[in-house]
Amino acid sequence: MGRVFVAGSINMDVVATAERHPKIGETVAGREVLYFPGGKGANQAVSAAKLGAPTTLIGRLGRDSFGQELKTFLAAQGIDVGFLQESADAHTGTAIITLANSDNTIVVIPGANGLLTPTDVSMPPLAPADIAVSQFEIPVTTVAAFFKRARASGATTILNPAPATLFCRELLDLVDVLILNEIELGVLTKTGLSDSDDIARFVDAARSLQAGGKPIICVTLGKRGVLALTDGQPLVIEGRAVRAVDTTGAGDCFVGAVAAQLAAGKSIGDALGYANVAASICVQRMGAAPSVPTATEVETAVVLTKKPNAVRP
Ligand code: RIB
């Protein structure tokens, strides 16, 4: 089995729950304030670790109480925290989240995440069976350095380009598997995609990012499931009908699950089906990192999902 290395952000999520989201300029009364470990990098590492992969997280925290709390939490999930560093010059990353009707808005203040350097990600040793995962809550130059190194080691790279940012072809050429949602796909392809669009529109947009059938592209479509372009062909995995209470971190749970499955030697098709089930469990719980299911929970749900759910449209 390979190891999953995640270079990414670690945040304390400060969540205000309310009956509905305020409009611009409006104040609404909330219900409660909750604190959850989060950050796209941390969530993805928690997912990979809980779903069975030996996992290392490379990141930066501030020298403050959020930082200490988050490090303790991550270590308790079985993650190797030996490559987490403390920055004296910045606070721990913080996300201000409003949650209403299971949907969120998020403002991220990067703090120490913005100080993760190419040198930081050059330290851990990577091997050919390993999976290198990253996102855009750390500097893009650091992501590029991490993937160059991963490629040189023969490892597989997974990029989750979130929050959506335009980036150069040179970086995309370092990516083996690109996992993004429909909003991010719309930004990267400069098309106005919406979640109710025909699958064919997503296929066309995803294809426009490929060169010679690469990278594998996987578009998460919320309750509609997942669309992937593997071997140049579209593959649709139906969403599972569940009652969502909080979708925060579901995409990260998906990314970590794909990484863990690939590290275990599974095919991309199997990995995507498994990750789809993992994310469907995640949305039924509050919080980002704490809502990731265990491998046993996912396996039980996979058995209960009787009909085959992957089809070539
Ligand atoms: O993807 C969800 C995450 O985005 C949250 O945990 C928050 O920290 C932001 O980074």
Side-chain angles (χ1 to χ4, degrees):
M1 162 170 281
R3 191 170 190 92
V4 174
F5 289 87
V6 181
S9 58
I10 310 161
N11 297 332
M12 181 59 82
D13 290 354
V14 183
V15 182
T17 63
E19 217 147 279
R20 64 176 179 81
H21 290 283
K23 297 187 188 110
I24 305 281
E26 186 192 21
T27 303
V28 298
R31 287 195 188 124
E32 44 183 353
V33 179
L34 305 162
Y35 295 81
F36 293 113
K40 295 181 194 304
N43 299 339
Q44 292 170 14
V46 168
S47 173
K50 282 185 84 173
L51 297 174
T55 302
T56 297
L57 176 59
I58 310 156
R60 279 187 178 256
L61 295 159
R63 199 163 285 163
D64 47 34
S65 60
F66 278 173
Q68 278 171 21
E69 208 182 306
L70 289 165
K71 190 170 180 180
T72 304
F73 170 83
L74 293 165
Q77 310 308 303
I79 295 169
D80 164 23
V81 294
F83 292 95
L84 293 187
Q85 298 187 60
E86 273 183 10
S87 296
D89 304 340
H91 61 79
T92 295
T94 311
I96 307 298
I97 301 180
T98 52
L99 176 69
N101 298 320
S102 80
D103 275 328
N104 60 50
T105 62
I106 306 180
V107 176
V108 180
I109 303 98
N113 296 310
L115 302 180
L116 195 70
T117 65
T119 308
D120 294 339
V121 297
S122 71
M123 308 289 184
L126 278 87
D130 293 341
I131 313 293
V133 182
S134 200
Q135 344 64 30
F136 285 158
E137 283 183 344
I138 57 171
V140 176
T141 46
T142 303
V143 177
F146 181 51
F147 281 179
K148 266 187 201 146
R149 186 140 180 281
R151 270 286 170 83
S153 315
T156 299
T157 58
I158 300 181
L159 177 65
N160 172 223
T165 316
L166 290 173
F167 59 96
C168 59
R169 182 80 225 177
E170 203 184 14
L171 173 55
L172 192 57
D173 286 343
L174 293 170
V175 176
D176 295 308
V177 184
L178 184 76
I179 303 180
L180 71 180
N181 67 23
E182 77 278 1
I183 297 172
E184 290 142 8
L185 181 62
V187 171
L188 296 193
T189 57
K190 300 185 185 150
T191 50
L193 291 172
S194 91
D195 58 3
S196 56
D197 282 340
D198 278 355
I199 290 293
R201 276 206 79 197
F202 296 117
V203 172
D204 288 346
R207 275 218 171 105
S208 73
L209 292 176
Q210 287 186 319
K214 290 184 177 161
I216 290 170
I217 297 187
C218 172
V219 189
T220 54
L221 297 170
K223 58 179 82 140
R224 291 175 74 189
V226 179
L227 161 73
L229 290 185
T230 61
D231 304 322
Q233 295 303 315
L235 175 77
V236 173
I237 300 171
E238 261 178 52
R240 296 177 76 233
V242 296
R243 194 166 165 274
V245 299
D246 181 3
T247 56
T248 313
D252 300 329
C253 172
F254 185 94
V255 171
V258 171
Q261 289 278 293
L262 294 181
K266 297 286 164 51
S267 71
I268 185 73
D270 286 350
L272 296 175
Y274 182 95
N276 185 47
V277 173
S280 77
I281 300 172
C282 178
V283 299
Q284 296 175 68
R285 301 169 179 169
M286 291 292 291
S291 64
V292 172
T294 61
T296 308
E297 288 174 309
V298 179
E299 275 141 29
T300 305
V302 167
V303 171
L304 292 174
T305 307
K306 289 189 192 92
K307 58 176 183 167
N309 64 350
V311 289
R312 296 272 184 201

